[in-house]
Amino acid sequence: MKNGERARAGHGSPAAPGPTAGPGPTPAPGPTVVGREAEVAEIRSRIAADRSHSSVLIVEGDPGAGKSVLLDLAVRLTRGTGQRVLRAVGSESEAPLAFAGLHQMLRPVLDDLGGLPARQRSALRTALGLAEDAEDAETAETPDALLVGLAVLTLVSDLSEPAPLLVVVDDAQWIDRASLDVLSFLARRMAGEPVTLLMGVRAAAVLPGFDKGYERLEIGPLSGDAANRLLDEQPKRPTGRTRARILREAAGNPLALVELARATADREPEGSGVEGPLPVTDRLEGIFARHVRHLPEATRRALLLLAATDAADAPAAARGLPEAADTVWAPAERAGLVRQDGTGVSFRHPLVRSAVYHAAPFEQRRRAHLALARQLGEEPDRRAWHLAAAAVRPDEQVSAALRETAGRARRRGGHAAAAAALERAAELSPHRADQARLLADAADTAVFTGQLGWVEHLAAGVRERSDDPALIGRAALATGRLLTLGPHHTAAFALLSRVADEAAATRSPRLLDALAAAAVVRYYSGEESQRQRIEALLADVPDSAAGGALRAWVLAVSDPSGAGASLAAALPRLIAAAKGEAGSLTALAVVAWLLDRTPLAARTFDEAFGRWQAHGPLPAGLACAAGWAYLEQGRWADARSVAAEIAEVASGAGLDHAEACARTLDATVLALLGEPAEARDSAERALALVDPLESRSVAVLARRALGLAAVAEGDYDSAYAQFRAAFTEDGDLVHYHVSPTVLAELAAAAVRRGHREPAARLLERSARHLGPGMSARLFLLVERGRALLAEPERAERHFRAALAGEAGEQWPFERAQTRLDYGEWLRRQRRVAEARPLLTGALDTFRRLGARPWIDRAKAELRAAGIEADAAAPGALTKLSPQQQQIVRLAAHGLTNREIGEKLFLSPRTVGSHLYRVFPKLGITARAQLRDLLDDALQATGSAQ
């Protein structure tokens, strides 16, 4: 809490600034907040003592606007009711340290970590650097980012069990990225928990993970009346022209009003910073810096030492500071620069810290950092950064210390902190070759932050320092990999193509890596010239056992119906050779999906548990392939879970294309389930995230989902228009892999709207394009389309071809659609007895999947065939959300709420809340009834294999 932001003059006793947990004595009511009645009311409503649900509020405003005073008010009111508070305050000095903010927030409750499940406890302790000894720290596995977030969610849920919990994070723009990611995960997953999260952030600051979807309380300037009331409360209230000038210069900023009034009351000389064109923030820093100049030397030294560290979160460093009771602090307190309380001394406002630090000559700052480094022998990461701040020239020892810091941050999952340490290590390395290598390392690591601008900056640094093609190519490849997940695929392919050209010229093994990334871009964009470029470069890559999986990836992704089709027979061998390596298994699972080896793809994705997270917290290229494989196999709840997880990660990282892919997947499942409004919303959001000409895969998938939503509503005009958009005006494929999957749906809609002839021409044109490399699945879809579009005397042979053999059972929904179409055709040919088993089989499948619109259609056809289908609706589970379905399945198998929460990244309380709401929907009253229910209900949940 920063008293300098208080909207009044009386700097009353504030609450302790550090994180606090547990009830304590009722605090003093604190100073009055002037002119913020509406904001205070909003804060009070968020922390009402009887709250039973979660709440997230972003308190946003300029420096000095009063954000901290409102957050401090929330803390005082919450403590006054005996409820718990966890608190952290961001600082620029802590920003490079992975999980520093999280450690600050959780420090008072570290003893409670023992109650967490073992995996969560281990992940969180590793992230916080709490390994038992140095050897444990070195050997500990990098904690999964989601598991760390889950540990914090579980801990927060447990802490809120006795009474609601308040979590306050001030100056969140300076919280380290790893901690911010955890807080974002917490905010998204704590629904139903009696937890309030208040985030204070400077206006216009970028806050990853909190930039959309949360309510914001904007703290603007005070009104003229409130500003005058605030000046009236000052010890020496300004009057006349001085008052008018203060009101004009402060522009409604409470801190500026207070400090400008103080400055004029002290009769400071002209040019002292009270007047001038500087922004309010700079002017205030000038006022604080001038106060420092008038302090005794011992006080200035103590202030500088305090400014160079964070005493609240570095007890070892605090040993180098005077005691809070020491008279050295008194002049600074009288000057309004610091405050003292039971926890020690702290600055009243970040601007005071900044002013003290930057007003001191560099040599004095250097001595302060060296003194702190000596105090921090047991905190090597902080010590390394202080040594770096004190460095006046390249220093190999300091560079090495930062490299070690980067290694520790990486092992703890702090990618942003690791990249920052490597970047600074490069700056301090004496040798240009080492600088370039370290910057390339930093670029590789920064990819996992999703910050494209940073990765590009690091890659530029490599080019400036080295002419080594390998290093330059490596840094460029890092940039290209991140570009693939954004919407600008033309630029991404151009960059990756250059990297591949240079790698080919030097016969670098990086050529295959570059082509693998370029193949992802080719898939997303659908651009034919990119396929030709990839195949030309791939011809120069020799076959090798080591590159087998990558080569298969490139061929299948670039041209699944052409060059990639020959890989189908080799896939089982390649998967066996991967020996459980998650990255290779995931790549090969994608290949299997692209080649329509759907069961093999789904099994391989299952084996590669964690899939894209195996490479870091960001979704890898074609990560949604797992969801599409599950959807095609009939595991619709699993498909939606994949979509939700990718959308969550991609949205937080600002990766628009990856998010759009996830939303098209979810939109498709929603349409099949008979939720057309939700499906349209998700598909349209996906289209808004990309340029359809740059991301043809998303464009066609979204149009397919919109068409299915229209079919679900019986609107075949709209359905035909959406499906037709998967093809050019001339009838060519818009996307080489996705467009063919729309052919049968287009034919079905065309027949109902009188577009039989143009649809037939388009279908045959596509079939000729696909040629002999057409997969079994596409063959069945083409034959279904031909059957629907053919004249009656020629239709049956195509229906029979579309239903021949057992291969079609791999795609249960598509097989059921063909049975339904064939059954309809037979009934209209008055062959009712033959139609009935086909219609009955189709209905059974639709019921298993929960495809409500198709259930209704199949039942109507059966009635027309003289059979009144029983009234059984889809199983009760199909009415639940995908997450609820997963919870029910796991609970039925005997898992506890805590065990279920760990599998699904939910808190135990949230699991219990879901079960409480689900039981009435399932018609049961006890957990023990779930297993019996599941034997029948699972038939209706999309568990078809």
Side-chain angles (χ1 to χ4, degrees), residues 515 530-540 554-555 558-559 562-564:
L515 291 178
Q530 293 177 0
R531 177 193 65 79
Q532 297 167 357
R533 185 82 184 107
I534 289 170
E535 289 187 358
L537 286 165
L538 192 62
D540 294 332
V554 174
L555 285 169
S558 302
D559 188 16

Side-chain angles (χ1 to χ4, degrees), residues 580-617:
E581 202 282 311
S584 295
L585 284 174
T586 302
L588 291 167
V590 170
V591 171
W593 169 69
L594 287 164
L595 300 182
D596 286 326
R597 299 288 300 276
T598 306
L600 178 62
R603 288 197 304 272
T604 308
F605 277 127
D606 289 340
E607 185 178 351
F609 180 75
R611 294 176 289 277
W612 52 92
Q613 284 97 349
H615 298 285

Side-chain angles (χ1 to χ4, degrees), residues 877 880 884-892 918 922 930 934:
L877 285 178
L880 307 181
Q884 289 172 333
Q885 291 180 33
Q886 289 179 304
I887 289 171
V888 166
R889 286 191 182 105
L890 294 171
V918 159
L922 299 179
L930 284 174
L934 211 62

Side-chain angles (χ1 to χ4, degrees), residues 372-384:
L372 289 166
R374 287 192 293 272
Q375 294 287 337
L376 289 165
E378 297 180 358
E379 302 221 25
D381 295 336
R382 285 185 170 83
R383 179 178 180 274

Side-chain angles (χ1 to χ4, degrees), residues 259-277:
E259 295 303 330
L260 291 173
R262 179 194 293 270
T264 55
D266 292 342
R267 294 184 176 85
E268 279 128 349
E270 292 292 321
S272 62
V274 177
E275 296 188 78

Side-chain angles (χ1 to χ4, degrees), residues 111-382:
D111 289 344
D112 293 284
L113 266 57
L116 295 174
R119 289 179 64 240
Q120 294 180 36
R121 181 175 64 251
S122 175
L124 183 54
R125 287 183 59 83
T126 300
L128 296 177
L130 300 177
E132 298 299 331
D133 51 42
E135 184 176 349
D136 287 346
E138 292 295 325
T139 59
E141 292 185 6
T142 301
D144 183 279
L146 293 179
L147 197 56
V148 174
L150 176 61
V152 175
L153 175 63
T154 304
L155 179 63
V156 164
S157 178
D158 290 346
L159 292 172
S160 66
E161 187 70 35
L165 175 71
L166 174 65
V167 180
V168 174
V169 181
D170 202 0
D171 284 321
Q173 72 278 355
W174 290 327
I175 292 290
D176 65 278
R177 181 59 187 270
S179 296
L180 198 60
D181 288 343
V182 172
L183 288 166
S184 176
F185 177 93
L186 177 66
R188 293 191 299 268
R189 297 286 181 135
M190 66 184 194
E193 305 286 346
V195 178
T196 296
L197 174 60
L198 302 180
M199 304 277 287
V201 62
R202 287 190 175 184
V206 176
L207 203 61
F210 291 91
D211 53 346
K212 53 187 176 182
Y214 297 105
E215 292 183 68
R216 307 184 90 82
L217 179 61
E218 295 185 5
I219 312 301
L222 291 176
S223 66
D225 175 67
N228 274 294
R229 282 192 285 130
L230 179 57
L231 289 180
D232 287 340
E233 293 192 12
Q234 301 312 301
K236 296 181 180 179
R237 53 193 295 266
T239 58
R241 294 175 59 188
T242 299
R243 185 186 187 95
R245 178 164 57 83
I246 291 172
L247 288 169
R248 182 178 68 252
E249 295 291 331
N253 184 288
L255 180 61
L257 287 163
V258 171
E259 295 303 330
L260 291 173
R262 179 194 293 270
T264 55
D266 292 342
R267 294 184 176 85
E268 279 128 349
E270 292 292 321
S272 62
V274 177
E275 296 188 78
L278 292 175
V280 167
T281 298
D282 293 338
R283 192 177 306 119
L284 289 172
E285 280 197 353
I287 292 173
F288 292 138
R290 188 184 59 258
H291 287 324
V292 173
R293 289 198 297 271
H294 299 302
L295 297 176
E297 175 65 23
T299 302
R300 292 204 304 273
R301 285 199 303 270
L303 283 173
L304 181 56
L305 202 61
L306 183 63
T309 189
D310 186 344
D313 198 35
R319 291 197 294 269
L321 294 168
E323 294 293 331
D326 197 299
T327 55
V328 74
W329 296 114
E333 189 170 21
R334 287 195 297 271
L337 301 176
V338 300
R339 64 172 183 269
Q340 297 190 63
D341 52 43
T343 63
V345 178
S346 57
F347 287 107
R348 288 176 45 231
H349 193 278
L351 292 179
V352 180
R353 178 193 294 274
S354 178
V356 168
Y357 186 82
H358 292 291
F362 173 75
E363 185 55 36
Q364 292 180 14
R365 299 201 302 268
R366 180 174 182 272
R367 287 199 295 269
H369 284 295
L370 289 173
L372 289 166
R374 287 192 293 272
Q375 294 287 337
L376 289 165
E378 297 180 358
E379 302 221 25
D381 295 336
R382 285 185 170 83

